Amino acid sequence: MRTSLNEIKQIDDYLFRHTTEADHLLFEARLILQPTLREKVLWQQRTYDIIRQYSRRKLKAEIETVHQQLFNEPEHHSFSRKIRAFFSSFDSAQD
Amino acid sequence: MAEMMVTEDVAAERKAFFMDLYQKAFPLVARYVSSMGGSFEEAKDVFQDALVIYYEKLTTAPIELQHSEKAYLLGIAKHLWARKNNSKQRHTSLDDSLEGIAATENDPASSTEKLMELLNTAGQKCMELLRAFYYDKLPLHKISGLFGFSGTRSATVQKYKCLEKIRDTVKEKSLTYEDFLE
């Protein structure tokens, strides 16, 4: 792998603790000495956060599809009726 | 095209999984929320967040359930409901990783929203790969098959390439300092 990818991998290993204790300490020492590396670590952390947000949205969209299917398709009519019965003042504009 | 269909298979598996959980557990949650004076919409929101949390727990570590899946989901939903209705206390014992689930509908003008939009279009292929690795935590050989790589090594290399690409995009696009700190 090219150098920049190796560095990405090292940061990945560091952040997810896939390293030995010795390597972890070594990396922390590098972080103290190299501000640019520190900055890259921060951006990579931010990237993992973005990946999680992206993935949650996708997952929620998948769950919503299931919901729509259960509440709109005739074959699930008895299920949706059962649920709707819990909410007496249910707004019929829903779904 | 072939690889796309395999990816869809995994999505279909997930769909069947949620369909099953919905049918088993949503009635319990809906009854609970309604007994607490909540609406259908609120029951739906709480339940869907509970499903996300459950899914994330399953991908992180195997759970040994003391009770049934539906009892577990009801437990999470009750917790979420309590939190939602106790908003004066901003921080509860739920760990930080759960923060943000409820906050997915953000201000559309925020830089995170713009970034998401961009990643949804320009970066989608990489994002799907990274999702499989970091969120769904699928095993390497499975990812390799799903995305049509010649082997686990090339899947790994591609993961790092994507990570680099997305990191560059994130850095380039996200930037107001406030956003970075939030």
Side-chain angles (χ1 to χ4, degrees), chain B residues 6-23:
Chain B
V6 191
T7 318
E8 280 166 12
D9 276 355
V10 172
E13 269 173 39
R14 239 183 345 248
K15 186 176 175 185
F17 172 73
F18 285 127
M19 185 63 91
D20 178 52
L21 288 179
Y22 231 105
Q23 287 171 312

Side-chain angles (χ1 to χ4, degrees), chain A residues 1-2 4-5 7-9 11-13 16 39-44 46-48 50-60 62-71 76 79 82-84 86-87 90 94-95, chain B residues 14-15 18-19 22-23 26-27 30-31 34 38-41 43-44 48-49 51-52 55-56 97 99 101 104 112-113 115-116 119-120 124 127-128 130-131 134-135 160-161 163-164 166-167 170-171 174-175 180:
Chain A
M1 285 195 294
R2 55 188 153 87
S4 68
L5 288 189
E7 196 181 64
I8 293 257
K9 179 185 183 313
I11 297 173
D12 190 271
D13 289 343
F16 289 100
E39 196 200 340
K40 283 175 185 167
V41 169
L42 287 175
W43 285 115
Q44 201 151 319
R46 172 76 174 145
T47 303
Y48 295 129
I50 294 286
I51 293 168
R52 193 175 67 194
Q53 284 188 48
Y54 170 92
S55 305
R56 274 184 181 163
R57 285 174 191 217
K58 293 286 175 179
L59 193 73
K60 287 196 92 169
E62 289 176 22
I63 292 171
E64 179 60 22
T65 307
V66 168
H67 179 95
Q68 291 304 329
Q69 217 167 315
L70 283 169
F71 286 89
H76 300 296
F79 176 81
K82 180 176 161 187
I83 300 291
R84 284 167 197 264
F86 293 132
F87 303 91
F90 184 72
Q94 213 50 255
D95 294 306
Chain B
R14 239 183 345 248
K15 186 176 175 185
F18 285 127
M19 185 63 91
Y22 231 105
Q23 287 171 312
F26 191 45
R31 188 163 56 196
S34 117
S39 67
F40 174 82
E41 264 318 288
K44 174 184 163 183
Q48 294 195 350
D49 283 349
L51 287 177
V52 172
Y55 179 83
E56 289 184 3
S97 67
E99 295 293 333
I101 284 188
T104 44
T112 303
E113 285 305 311
L115 183 59
M116 283 296 160
L119 294 176
N120 253 322
Q124 199 175 20
M127 288 307 284
E128 286 302 315
L130 294 171
R131 175 188 172 185
Y134 291 102
Y135 190 75
Y160 293 127
K161 281 187 184 166
L163 203 49
E164 185 178 45
I166 301 298
R167 192 182 72 181
V170 168
K171 183 179 173 183
S174 34
L175 269 328
F180 181 62

Side-chain angles (χ1 to χ4, degrees), chain B:
Chain B
M1 193 60 202
E3 69 189 71
M4 200 59 210
M5 285 172 66
V6 191
T7 318
E8 280 166 12
D9 276 355
V10 172
E13 269 173 39
R14 239 183 345 248
K15 186 176 175 185
F17 172 73
F18 285 127
M19 185 63 91
D20 178 52
L21 288 179
Y22 231 105
Q23 287 171 312
K24 278 200 283 201
F26 191 45
L28 287 176
V29 172
R31 188 163 56 196
Y32 174 75
V33 171
S34 117
S35 77
M36 301 299 283
S39 67
F40 174 82
E41 264 318 288
E42 286 173 315
K44 174 184 163 183
D45 286 349
V46 159
F47 183 65
Q48 294 195 350
D49 283 349
L51 287 177
V52 172
I53 290 168
Y54 183 50
Y55 179 83
E56 289 184 3
K57 285 214 185 290
L58 286 178
T59 59
T60 309
I63 305 178
E64 285 204 24
L65 290 178
Q66 306 266 326
H67 304 285
S68 62
E69 259 181 334
K70 60 182 182 181
Y72 189 75
L73 278 164
L74 179 62
I76 304 174
K78 281 181 175 176
H79 197 124
L80 290 173
W81 177 259
R83 188 169 72 154
K84 182 177 150 77
N85 288 284
N86 199 5
S87 53
K88 278 173 229 146
Q89 260 187 308
R90 296 292 301 170
H91 295 287
T92 67
S93 60
L94 276 182
D95 66 291
D96 286 346
S97 67
L98 306 181
E99 295 293 333
I101 284 188
T104 44
E105 267 76 43
N106 289 322
D107 172 10
S110 80
S111 66
T112 303
E113 285 305 311
K114 284 184 200 148
L115 183 59
M116 283 296 160
E117 216 168 282
L118 180 74
L119 294 176
N120 253 322
T121 50
Q124 199 175 20
K125 217 173 164 191
C126 268
M127 288 307 284
E128 286 302 315
L129 179 65
L130 294 171
R131 175 188 172 185
F133 267 106
Y134 291 102
Y135 190 75
D136 298 325
K137 298 189 173 73
L138 299 177
L140 197 52
H141 69 270
K142 194 159 189 178
I143 292 177
S144 176
L146 279 179
F147 290 87
F149 294 116
S150 55
T152 55
R153 186 177 153 73
S154 65
T156 307
V157 172
Q158 191 55 46
K159 171 179 89 166
Y160 293 127
K161 281 187 184 166
C162 279
L163 203 49
E164 185 178 45
K165 181 185 162 201
I166 301 298
R167 192 182 72 181
D168 288 346
T169 309
V170 168
K171 183 179 173 183
E172 189 189 329
K173 301 289 177 189
S174 34
L175 269 328
T176 62
Y177 197 52
E178 287 80 2
D179 258 21
F180 181 62
L181 287 179
E182 81 189 359

